[in-house]
Amino acid sequence: MQKRCPCGQLMTMKLRTVIYSGKVEIDNVPIYSCESCNRSEVYPEVKPDLTGLIGKLGAEPGKQTYLFNEWNEWADLLVEAYQARKSTDATIVKPMIEERINTLLDLYTIAQSVNDEQWIADIHKRLTQLSRCEIQP
Ligand SMILES: [Zn+2]
């Protein structure tokens, strides 16, 4: 996935490690970066979850490591795409999103049939995270 950098070059998306407060490592964060001017930006659709995670850490967090893909369905899908195909191109990721949404909807039906509210809430959160993502071809 790519977007245009203010300097005019194309920015490419990679899964990178974000270090917060010099102590907390957050792995697998989707980030756009520009090789020409070194600008980097957190993928906009995952920002609410990244800030939410950082918010939970408090003012003086201890040394710890998080896998961002355990917090965000979209990052999880990108990790899966990268592991399976060594690429996060839209052509690879797009069909995976549709497949993942279908799987989640099936699970949602099952969760509702057994009346598991926590499970229903979890699936709902994951679906919301995925539906925020617009894929630019
Ligand atoms: Zn640039």
Side-chain angles (χ1 to χ4, degrees), residues 7 10 62 74 85 102 104 107 114:
C7 81
L10 278 180
W74 176 240
R85 308 284 297 273
N102 285 336
L104 287 171
L107 284 176
V114 296

Side-chain angles (χ1 to χ4, degrees), residues 5-11 34-39:
C5 179
C7 81
Q9 294 298 310
L10 278 180
M11 302 176 96
C34 174
E35 284 176 16
S36 163
C37 69
N38 284 326
R39 183 189 170 90

